[in-house]
Amino acid sequence: MTQVGEGHETAADEAGPVLTFGAPTAGEVLAERYQLEEHVNNDSAGRQVWRGIDVILRRPVAMVLRHPGGDSAVEMLQAAVAASRVIHPNLVGVYDAIDEQERAYVVREWVDGESLRDLVASEGPLDPARAIAIAHSVADALTAVHATGMVHGNVHPGSTLIADDGRVVLADARADAADSTESDVRAVGGVLYFALTGHWPHTEVGRSALPDANRDSAGNPAAPRQIRAGIPAYLDDLTMDLLDRRVAAPGSDALTAELGRLDSAAEDEEYEDVGPLRFVQAGSGSSSEPIRSAPKILVGVGALIVIAIIGLIFGIRAINNTGNSADSGNTPAAQPTNAGDSSVQPPAPQPQQIKLTADMVRMVDPPSGDRSDTEQAKYTVDGDPDTAWETQTYNTAPFGRLKDGMGILINLGQPRSLSEVQVLTSVPGATIDVRTGPKDFGDSSEGDKKLVKEFKSLSDEKPEKSTGTTTAFSGFNPDEKYQYVLVFLTSLPQSEEGSGYKVSVNEIKLSGY
């Protein structure tokens, strides 16, 4: 369960992680009221997140602890105090904010459920109706926040929680000077994009450990309809407009109204009856006039002018051809078509899953010389999730500190344009790195050592533990082609039996063009 904090990176986060004073332990009681029960995780700013109990009211709480307190914790505490003033069903309730100088902590509602990030990791991209419903709840929460003059500043799949009862709540407000109500609204577009595609557009809505959007050679993100079939055109347009800074962003109240309209249409399965997007500012005095952005109006006017000029030219040519034919007695020439018109662009190619076979993969096990797992490599690409490569059991997560890791090398036979790698594991918690390189240095311990050293990671960031059993990696350069891809495990989760560390890799899927 991701309770808090897996949001975008803020300027404060770049200073590095913070540590909690005195290594808090389960059973410790803070402020003579809040008992620590279980360390859940650390958020993206390095603060510890605990599940606790309010011993007076006997209710579960989430607790976020930071060291040091005092001046360094002012921003966190101020954000918590401000958030506590906004009561809304789609916002996590904040109960308390305490500064003990050496450490500070925020106490708030505990949500039984999972984050949108974990949900997509385990189930894959969501259907349009569910994506709309989640975005509608997030926008509604932002409307309440913005009405008080506040900015949330951390709208992200990691801070969007889906409770077991179906309620969607937004957590972990922590705006900095660079954030604004507009950046909050555009982040709702990011939430929609992630829910529909499993990718987070870094350039448009903020850096994250999540995989970046697939991009064309100009760096523009691929639209959801280019990645998945079945996404309604109006939803595709809305998502991309929210991410496009050339298009004026609506207010959070207008976005909530629009998403509410789409949410109702989805419930009634009346997608076909949904008309053009209608952003209407609440209280504007008119509910029928859409607010259109200047760039789109100019594009539309320009297109009409071009069409008129082309029609005029073709009309003149047709009249001239008719006159010439009457004079010469020849059959009139065929009318021109747009077959050779360079302005008509073909649709963008869709990434497809690449068929992988047993002869295209091999085990990479650098130093040990024990290649007993070799025959299991084929199970990772056989299309059967019930078969798997199962690692041996080690006494520590980093392979017993015996080696840097193990992995599967994929040789596609020839260079290809690639878009994404998906790795399906038996349990979450493995640390997986995807690397690419120029060649296979040989199926031997020495060859594997060189391969692990020479191959470069797709990510500029340090690999993180997987939060679900399906982990997706992008980062492929659209202007490059790749023949060799290494899926490399550097750390193992605790085994399901609870003794030792191991994992099964059930399937590896590779997509490209």
Side-chain angles (χ1 to χ4, degrees), residues 362-365 372-382 384-392 394 399 403 405-409 423-426 432 487-490 492 502-508:
R362 75 169 181 85
M363 193 69 61
V364 172
D365 187 3
S372 58
D373 296 341
T374 297
E375 290 302 313
Q376 296 184 32
K378 62 186 178 184
Y379 296 136
T380 63
V381 295
D382 61 0
D384 183 357
D386 293 330
T387 60
W389 157 43
E390 183 178 13
T391 69
Q392 299 179 33
Y394 296 84
F399 289 85
K403 48 192 169 186
M406 293 181 66
I408 300 291
L409 177 66
V423 183
L424 283 66
T425 56
S426 54
I432 306 171
V487 176
F488 197 62
L489 280 65
T490 59
L492 301 171
K502 69 176 183 179
V503 74
S504 294
V505 178
N506 299 71
E507 203 70 28
I508 297 174

Side-chain angles (χ1 to χ4, degrees), residues 102-452:
E102 290 182 327
R103 65 181 174 187
Y105 42 93
V106 173
V107 183
R108 63 188 182 191
E109 176 186 4
W110 173 267
V111 181
D112 283 317
E114 61 184 335
S115 69
L116 176 60
R117 175 179 183 159
D118 290 345
L119 177 64
V120 172
S122 61
E123 298 184 8
L126 308 183
D127 64 80
R130 194 171 189 190
I132 290 170
I134 290 173
H136 181 207
S137 296
V138 172
D140 202 15
L142 289 177
T143 298
V145 171
H146 294 172
T148 68
M150 289 173 51
V151 174
H152 188 277
N154 193 31
V155 180
H156 183 275
S159 59
T160 302
L161 310 181
I162 295 91
D164 290 340
D165 61 5
R167 184 169 64 110
V168 177
V169 290
L170 188 57
D172 199 25
R174 59 168 196 244
D176 61 23
D179 292 308
S180 64
T181 55
E182 178 182 344
S183 63
D184 276 353
V185 167
R186 295 204 184 277
V188 178
V191 168
L192 270 173
Y193 193 94
F194 178 80
L196 294 169
T197 69
H199 292 262
W200 178 254
H202 293 193
T203 303
E204 291 73 18
V205 285
R207 293 181 304 168
S208 170
L210 296 173
D212 190 17
N214 294 326
R215 298 180 181 274
D216 60 21
S217 58
N220 300 312
R225 278 166 65 89
Q226 293 177 297
I227 299 172
R228 285 181 62 201
I231 296 176
Y234 68 83
L235 180 57
D236 189 79
D237 289 343
L238 171 60
T239 303
M240 298 308 291
D241 280 356
L242 289 172
L243 298 178
D244 189 347
R245 296 191 179 275
R246 297 169 299 177
V247 177
S252 54
D253 52 352
L255 179 58
T256 300
E258 177 62 17
L259 287 168
R261 186 175 73 92
L262 303 186
D263 199 3
S264 297
E267 291 176 0
D268 297 335
E269 298 183 351
E270 294 177 351
Y271 287 121
E272 298 81 359
D273 297 332
V274 177
L277 303 181
R278 303 184 300 202
F279 286 133
V280 180
Q281 300 294 346
S284 64
S286 172
S287 61
S288 59
E289 278 299 314
I291 297 175
R292 294 187 175 90
S293 62
K296 286 199 167 182
I297 293 174
L298 293 176
V299 169
V301 171
L304 289 174
I305 293 173
V306 171
I307 292 170
I309 292 173
I310 292 173
L312 180 60
I313 292 172
F314 285 172
I316 293 172
R317 287 182 178 177
I319 292 171
N320 289 338
N321 287 340
T322 302
N324 292 338
S325 298
D327 292 339
S328 63
N330 293 332
T331 303
Q335 293 297 314
T337 69
N338 64 359
D341 186 354
S342 61
S343 66
V344 179
Q345 298 295 326
Q350 302 292 315
Q352 303 291 331
Q353 184 173 333
I354 297 172
K355 174 65 176 176
L356 301 177
T357 56
D359 60 336
M360 298 169 70
V361 297
R362 75 169 181 85
M363 193 69 61
V364 172
D365 187 3
S368 67
D370 176 12
R371 311 184 75 77
S372 58
D373 296 341
T374 297
E375 290 302 313
Q376 296 184 32
K378 62 186 178 184
Y379 296 136
T380 63
V381 295
D382 61 0
D384 183 357
D386 293 330
T387 60
W389 157 43
E390 183 178 13
T391 69
Q392 299 179 33
T393 302
Y394 296 84
N395 58 3
T396 62
F399 289 85
R401 305 190 184 281
L402 300 174
K403 48 192 169 186
D404 292 334
M406 293 181 66
I408 300 291
L409 177 66
I410 303 171
N411 179 359
L412 295 172
Q414 62 182 4
R416 296 190 59 168
S417 296
L418 303 178
S419 61
E420 184 179 72
V421 177
Q422 282 192 2
V423 183
L424 283 66
T425 56
S426 54
V427 293
T431 303
I432 306 171
D433 192 18
V434 174
R435 306 177 185 180
T436 62
K439 60 180 290 186
D440 185 354
F441 296 100
D443 187 5
S444 65
S445 293
E446 289 304 315
D448 285 357
K449 288 180 184 178
K450 188 171 183 180
L451 185 144
V452 170

Side-chain angles (χ1 to χ4, degrees), residues 29 32-35 37 53-59:
V29 178
E32 299 182 349
R33 177 169 183 173
Y34 305 110
Q35 180 172 310
E37 295 288 307
I53 294 290
D54 182 337
V55 297
I56 295 177
L57 298 180
R58 305 307 300 171
R59 65 181 176 185

